[in-house]
């Protein structure tokens, strides 16, 4: 009796037929909107349904000359780099701790995922209240501990807002990545660790020479995922600050949204989306290539 | 064969009869999403449908947060409503799609029977036509806590009338120790901040954002700068973190007694009843304080209904619905969905027993009267001239008035510098 794999090998049409629903789904939900956005970028549509005029590359030249676009790019860069760094390092640290034997480990392993499970809107409301300058528990503790004289405006002062929003997002995503790293840590053969221990290798040497090389592919993948997810994050920032105060947390996705739905510059927003898409595509391809090359060499 | 012809003929006849007797359906989108308002609107539509078997009004709830995106998309896809709730700037936004129908005949007809409160009707008249029928208005008053005034040694029956008095009261409330923060002022880049600032602009005679030419921005002027400077003074009396405050935070601060004053719309009456155990008599109301050389005023805008179909049958059904809704008893029931918040747009409702029969309105008659009086001087930004810039929606949707305020409260610019930047942003917003 022939297996499905054999049947597909003999009849490529069958294979195509089997992937067709998924292909169709991808075309409808991804390719079509992307093509539409690309097309929109060459017109001067202010909002959905409004009359359009072909203006060639004007939107692109306007965007590239718009200082606010570059400021949003810079903020996106800061936001993404900080998120990736803290999420990856944080998840590694948490996973290493959870990989040790201690009392209550199972309980913590189960509950650590909670921040990731929380709906974004709940998380935003919760942190808004926790950090509120007059009613929030953080300011209360800082003030009653004599650490501050006047309340800190975590979400409304230019100095504090970006670090605060980054902290909340890192707090949210780190447990998720920690679980993935933990799974990778558990694939390290026990015998290998025991042999190193017998040979007198220190904790740091075991970490650098056994743990890190073993989980490196997983760390590379979560770095890429964390980068792509972080740079695209809209909901958390929007719900916490709406990109404010002023534009201090207006990253590129927030700026695109504001241009489309507040300033009614649909075409400019579409052109910005295309630029962002091309950048992310280029980054992902370059990153994966490097990864595979290193994998092949290693 | 004869049987088939008979059955077929009967079926066709039945289908024809059904089509003939089917009511004209009107899909109605509104954005009054709070449960008690949804319920009241549904109740009224059900009553109308029962009284008019030939018409069926189907209310569907939407949200203000999504409507700017959802409505154009639905209209383009041919799945938009037949009529919907609007405010003037949203109307200009939808009008650009070419589907909004002029309602001159209907307005003329209503004017024959009712006397409109003119400020409710004016923003809907531009480009030579009326584009919506106003159904209720809303405006700002100064709400203050009489109990806290009394504790601070202030006369609870003498609310501040001028800007100087308001600042004086703020200082006295603060130094008395009764409240740490005397007034709550929203500061987020949000409609709540826009509306407070525009109210201050109106009372300081800076109500025009556009010149006589709707493409000319005259926002950058000394009167506007003064209004922003006064806003900053109030902001300094507001609790820390007010840079992020929108509608709800000032409300909570006021109801919990964290602050003693707030400038807001009439929903504070029902909010007070629903959210505090304090007697309603502690809730004081006064017209928005004005500068020494200012004028009485407030932001005022009416919500209206715009017709989005040119089907003559639906147009007639819509007119029937509006005429029915305009009856003082019916309209009063609509306005009572949030007593004191929704203000009448005709003298007939204003002077009807039905409107004043609501127990909450009865108890807070003085506050409602103040709101109604203020509405006579009410203005709405972008709609203070006969001609309207078609892109005015971009100024309100972008919350540029609030954005200008944050240039002062967050970026630390002077009011004059901030207003100059705000004017620049407005130019950019209306650019074609």
């Amino acid at each position: 009796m022939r297996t499905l794999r054999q049947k597909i090998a003999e009849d490529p049409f069958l294979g195509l037929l089997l992937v067709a629903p998924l292909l169709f789904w991808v075309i409808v939900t991804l390719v079509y909107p992307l093509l539409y956005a690309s097309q929109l970028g060459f017109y001067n549509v202010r909002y959905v349904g409004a009359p359009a005029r072909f203006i060639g590359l004007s939107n692109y030249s306007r965007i590239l000359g718009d200082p606010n676009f570059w400021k949003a790019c810079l903020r996106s860069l800061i936001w993404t780099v900080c998120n990736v760094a803290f999420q990856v390092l944080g998840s590694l640290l948490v996973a290493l701790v959870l990989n040790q034997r201690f009392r209550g480990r199972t309980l913590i392993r189960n509950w650590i995922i909670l921040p990731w499970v929380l709906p974004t809107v709940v998380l935003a409301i919760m942190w808004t209240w926790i950090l509120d300058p007059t009613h929030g528990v953080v300011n209360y503790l800082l003030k009653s501990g004599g650490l501050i004289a006047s309340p800190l405006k975590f979400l409304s002062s230019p100095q504090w807002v970006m670090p605060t929003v980054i902290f909340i997002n890192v707090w949210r995503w780190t447990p998720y990545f920690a679980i993935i790293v933990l799974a990778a840590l558990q694939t390290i053969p026990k015998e290998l660790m025991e042999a190193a221990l017998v040979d007198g290798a220190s904790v740091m040497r075991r970490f650098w020479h056994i743990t890190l090389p073993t989980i490196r592919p997983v760390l590379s993948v979560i770095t890429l995922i964390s980068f792509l997810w972080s740079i695209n994050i809209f909901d958390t920032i929007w719900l916490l600050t709406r990109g404010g105060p002023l534009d201090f947390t207006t990253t590129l996705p927030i700026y695109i949204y504001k241009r489309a739905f507040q300033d009614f510059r649909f075409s400019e927003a579409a052109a910005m989306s295309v630029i962002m898409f091309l950048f992310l595509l280029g980054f992902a391809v370059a990153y994966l290539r490097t990864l595979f090359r290193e994998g092949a060499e290693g | 064969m004869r049987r088939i012809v008979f059955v077929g003929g009967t079926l066709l006849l039945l289908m024809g009869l059904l089509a003939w007797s089917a009511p004209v359906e009107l899909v109605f989108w509104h954005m009054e999403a709070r449960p008690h308002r949804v319920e009241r609107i549904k109740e009224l539509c059900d009553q109308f449908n029962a009284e008019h078997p030939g018409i069926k009004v189907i209310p569907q709830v939407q949200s203000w947060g999504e409507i700017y995106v959802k409505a154009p998309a639905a209209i383009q896809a041919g799945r938009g409503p037949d009529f919907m709730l609007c405010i003037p700037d949203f109307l200009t936004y939808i009008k650009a799609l070419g589907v909004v129908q002029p309602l001159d005949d209907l307005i003329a007809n209503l004017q024959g029977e009712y006397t409109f409160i003119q400020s409710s009707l004016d923003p809907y008249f531009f480009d030579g036509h009326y584009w919506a029928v106003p159904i209720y208005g809303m405006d700002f008053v100064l709400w203050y806590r009489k109990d806290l005034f009394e504790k601070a040694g202030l006369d609870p029956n003498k609310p501040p009338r001028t800007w100087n008095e308001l600042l004086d009261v703020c200082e006295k409330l603060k130094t008395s120790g009764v409240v740490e923060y005397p007034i709550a002022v929203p500061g987020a880049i949000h409609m709540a901040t826009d509306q407070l600032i525009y109210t201050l602009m109106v009372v300081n005679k800076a109500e025009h954002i556009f010149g006589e030419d709707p493409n000319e921005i005259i926002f950058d002027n000394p009167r506007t700068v003064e209004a922003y400077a006064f806003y900053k003074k109030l902001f300094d009396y507001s609790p820390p973190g007010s840079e992020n405050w929108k509608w709800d935070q000032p409300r909570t601060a006021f109801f919990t007694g964290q602050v003693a004053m707030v400038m807001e719309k009439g929903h504070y009456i029902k909010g007070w009843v629903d959210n505090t155990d304090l007697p309603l008599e502690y809730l004081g109301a006064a017209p928005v304080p004005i500068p020494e050389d200012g004028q009485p005023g407030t932001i005022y805008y009416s919500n209206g209904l715009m017709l989005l179909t040119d089907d003559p049958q639906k147009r007639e059904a819509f007119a029937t619905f509006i005429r029915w809704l305009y009856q003082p008893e019916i309209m009063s029931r609509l306005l009572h969905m949030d007593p004191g918040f929704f203000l009448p747009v005709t003298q007939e409702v204003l002077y009807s027993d039905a409107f004043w029969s609501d127990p909450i309105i009865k108890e807070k008659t003085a506050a409602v009267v103040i709101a109604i009086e203020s509405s006579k001087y009410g203005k709405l930004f972008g709609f203070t001239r006969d001609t309207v810039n078609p892109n005015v929606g971009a100024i309100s949707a972008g919350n540029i008035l609030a954005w200008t305020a944050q240039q002062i409260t967050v970026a630390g610019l002077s009011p004059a510098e901030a207003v100059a930047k705000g004017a620049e942003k407005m130019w950019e917003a209306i650019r074609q």
Side-chain angles (χ1 to χ4, degrees):
Chain A
M1 196 173 159
R2 290 181 308 159
T3 62
L4 185 62
R5 187 188 289 259
Q6 286 167 331
K7 281 184 193 168
I8 292 170
E10 285 166 20
D11 184 3
F13 181 73
L14 179 64
L16 199 65
L17 201 69
L18 290 173
V19 296
L22 186 66
L23 207 62
F24 175 74
W25 184 245
V26 169
I27 288 170
V28 168
T29 58
L30 207 69
V31 179
Y32 173 72
L34 196 66
L35 290 176
Y36 182 63
S38 312
Q39 184 203 12
L40 211 57
F42 297 110
Y43 287 80
N44 72 335
V45 180
R46 282 197 64 134
Y47 40 84
V48 181
R53 188 167 53 89
F54 183 79
I55 53 166
L57 289 169
S58 295
N59 282 324
Y60 287 91
S61 65
R62 188 176 296 144
I63 290 165
L64 296 177
D66 172 12
N68 291 326
F69 170 74
W70 292 110
K71 282 179 192 166
C73 288
L74 182 66
R75 273 181 229 113
S76 272
L77 189 71
I78 294 168
W79 160 264
T80 308
V81 169
C82 292
N83 266 289
V84 173
F86 289 119
Q87 282 172 14
V88 174
L89 290 175
S91 61
L92 179 61
L93 202 70
V94 172
L96 286 170
V97 172
L98 289 183
N99 203 32
Q100 307 304 311
R101 284 174 193 279
F102 60 91
R103 213 176 159 154
R105 183 178 74 158
T106 316
L107 188 79
I108 296 177
R109 277 186 181 180
N110 289 337
W111 284 97
I112 196 177
I113 204 80
L114 192 68
W116 182 69
V117 175
L118 280 179
T120 315
V121 67
V122 175
L123 172 145
I125 293 170
M126 191 182 85
W127 276 107
T128 305
W129 281 110
I130 289 175
L131 300 173
D132 186 85
T134 43
H135 304 290
V137 67
V138 174
N139 268 301
Y140 171 77
L141 291 174
L142 291 173
K143 215 172 171 182
S144 46
L147 295 169
I148 52 168
S150 54
L152 296 178
K153 300 192 271 185
F154 289 104
L155 291 170
S156 54
S157 84
Q159 296 83 1
W160 281 101
V161 69
M162 187 56 105
T164 305
V165 181
I166 289 172
F167 167 78
I168 293 171
N169 198 53
V170 169
W171 172 84
R172 184 180 196 198
W173 286 99
T174 300
Y176 172 76
F177 291 124
I179 296 293
I180 297 174
V181 178
L182 181 63
L185 284 175
Q186 292 181 347
T187 62
I188 300 173
K190 267 186 187 167
E191 301 77 30
L192 205 60
M193 280 293 186
E194 281 165 5
L197 205 62
V198 170
D199 291 344
S202 67
V203 175
M204 285 311 286
R205 281 181 76 88
R206 273 180 280 149
F207 176 74
W208 284 113
H209 296 290
I210 300 175
T211 308
L212 205 56
T214 317
I215 63 168
R216 201 172 147 201
V218 173
L219 288 180
S220 303
V221 170
I222 66 167
T223 303
L224 177 66
I225 294 173
S226 171
F227 181 90
L228 294 177
W229 284 358
S230 296
I231 204 167
N232 278 311
I233 280 197
F234 172 83
D235 52 358
T236 309
I237 304 176
W238 185 255
L239 289 167
L240 284 166
T241 66
R242 291 167 69 99
L246 281 178
D247 289 333
F248 284 96
T249 50
T250 297
T251 54
L252 200 49
I254 302 277
Y255 188 58
I256 291 171
Y257 179 86
K258 282 182 173 177
R259 286 306 273 169
F261 301 117
Q262 286 191 342
D263 303 340
F264 304 141
R265 304 280 171 192
F266 233 74
S267 286
E268 273 186 41
M272 277 190 254
S273 307
V274 171
I275 293 173
M276 190 173 168
F277 169 76
L278 292 176
F279 167 73
L280 289 181
L281 189 70
F283 175 82
V285 169
Y287 186 86
L288 287 174
R289 268 190 171 184
T290 314
L291 212 65
F292 288 138
R293 198 181 304 139
E294 280 178 9
E297 284 165 6
Chain B
M1 182 64 188
R2 200 180 287 171
R3 187 177 287 175
I4 292 169
V5 170
F6 176 74
V7 171
T10 310
L11 274 173
L12 273 174
L13 192 67
L14 272 174
M15 281 165 68
L17 275 171
L18 274 173
W20 178 72
S21 63
V24 178
E25 285 194 354
L26 289 174
V27 175
F28 165 33
W29 280 12
H30 70 82
M31 284 71 82
E32 295 299 351
R34 295 195 182 223
H36 56 279
R37 297 182 194 167
V38 173
E39 189 53 38
R40 179 58 57 90
I41 289 174
K42 187 180 174 304
E43 229 176 80
L44 287 169
C45 290
D46 288 347
Q47 185 184 337
F48 173 82
N49 294 342
E51 290 174 17
H52 300 81
I55 304 170
K56 189 177 180 188
V57 176
I58 306 164
Q60 292 177 355
V61 191
Q62 308 295 334
S63 86
W64 276 116
E66 291 169 3
I67 202 68
Y68 279 79
V69 181
K70 192 170 176 182
I75 290 165
Q76 286 301 304
R79 306 185 74 85
D82 296 304
F83 70 99
M84 74 183 296
L85 192 71
C86 64
I87 53 175
D89 74 88
F90 179 59
L91 189 149
T92 61
Y93 177 71
I94 296 295
K95 189 174 167 289
L97 302 175
V99 290
V100 181
Q101 303 298 311
L103 296 171
D104 304 320
D105 295 350
L106 180 57
I107 295 286
N109 187 296
L110 291 169
Q111 277 172 326
E113 216 170 324
Y114 303 100
T115 309
F116 279 95
I117 290 169
Q118 203 54 37
S119 50
S120 73
L121 198 54
D122 287 346
Y124 294 116
F125 183 81
F126 51 90
D127 298 344
H129 296 287
Y130 286 104
W131 298 100
V133 185
I135 51 172
Y136 43 74
M138 42 189 69
D139 64 11
F140 268 44
V141 297
L142 172 76
W143 298 105
Y144 67 99
R145 298 262 312 231
K146 289 188 173 183
D147 53 333
L148 300 179
F149 265 50
E150 211 161 359
K151 276 186 196 164
L154 295 162
D155 184 346
N157 296 313
K158 274 195 174 169
R161 299 282 172 184
T162 65
W163 280 7
N164 285 337
E165 282 178 23
L166 180 58
L167 294 175
D168 192 39
V169 165
C170 282
E171 199 51 41
K172 281 179 180 157
L173 280 163
K174 196 174 175 177
T175 48
S176 72
V178 173
V179 284
E180 199 177 342
Y181 309 105
I183 190 165
V185 171
I189 300 185
H190 186 264
M191 202 192 275
T193 312
D194 282 346
Q195 295 192 350
L196 173 62
I197 285 170
Y198 188 66
T199 295
L200 299 177
M201 286 167 62
V202 173
V203 296
N204 200 38
K205 299 180 180 169
E207 66 266 33
H208 299 297
I209 282 177
F210 295 100
E212 292 292 348
D213 172 359
N215 293 312
E216 184 198 5
I217 300 277
I218 59 160
F219 177 70
D220 187 3
N221 65 70
R223 286 271 175 191
T224 306
V225 174
E226 281 171 21
Y228 272 93
F230 184 69
Y231 168 82
K232 174 67 169 77
K233 285 179 185 165
L234 293 183
F235 189 85
D236 290 341
Y237 283 113
S238 191
S242 296
E243 294 89 346
N244 271 353
W245 283 22
K246 300 165 198 149
W247 305 119
D248 291 339
Q249 297 89 342
R251 224 162 85 107
T252 310
F254 185 71
F255 292 156
T256 55
Q258 189 195 7
V259 300
M261 292 183 290
V262 68
M263 280 188 252
E264 248 293 2
K265 295 192 283 281
H267 55 302
Y268 270 52
I269 302 177
K270 188 163 166 40
W272 181 277
V273 173
D274 292 346
N275 296 292
T276 75
D277 295 327
L278 299 167
L280 203 44
E281 69 197 52
Y282 284 180
L283 177 66
V288 171
I290 60 173
E292 310 301 330
D293 59 345
Q295 62 182 10
T298 165
I299 186 170
Y300 170 84
Y301 58 97
S302 58
N303 286 234
L305 295 176
M306 57 180 169
L307 181 66
L308 306 175
T309 169
D310 55 3
D311 179 331
Q313 255 193 322
K314 290 193 173 191
R315 191 181 173 87
E316 188 46 47
F318 173 72
T320 307
F321 178 70
I322 294 292
R323 281 193 292 266
W324 177 83
L325 187 66
Y326 257 66
Q327 298 173 89
E329 293 75 24
I330 305 289
M331 185 60 92
S332 295
R333 281 180 53 213
L334 178 70
L335 304 183
H336 291 165
M337 63 185 171
D338 214 323
F341 182 30
F342 298 113
L343 305 174
V345 294
T346 65
Q347 301 285 356
E348 285 70 16
V349 176
L350 181 57
Y351 293 113
S352 70
D353 291 339
F355 176 70
W356 297 99
S357 67
D358 180 86
I360 293 178
I361 291 184
K362 253 185 197 169
E363 202 177 337
K364 290 311 290 180
T365 301
V368 178
V369 167
I370 287 168
I372 290 168
E373 276 301 308
S374 302
S375 72
K376 291 178 187 164
Y377 310 106
K379 311 270 186 224
L380 181 62
F381 50 93
F383 295 86
T384 52
R385 310 272 194 198
D386 290 342
T387 325
V388 169
N389 185 299
N391 294 323
V392 63
I395 292 179
S396 46
N399 304 116
I400 297 179
L401 296 183
W403 180 88
T404 306
Q406 281 210 347
Q407 295 295 334
I408 304 168
T409 57
V410 175
L413 298 188
S414 71
E417 289 167 331
V419 168
K421 281 192 94 168
E424 253 175 57
K425 198 164 168 76
M426 285 181 187
W427 278 111
E428 151 71 9
I430 63 164
R431 167 176 63 82
Q432 287 302 321

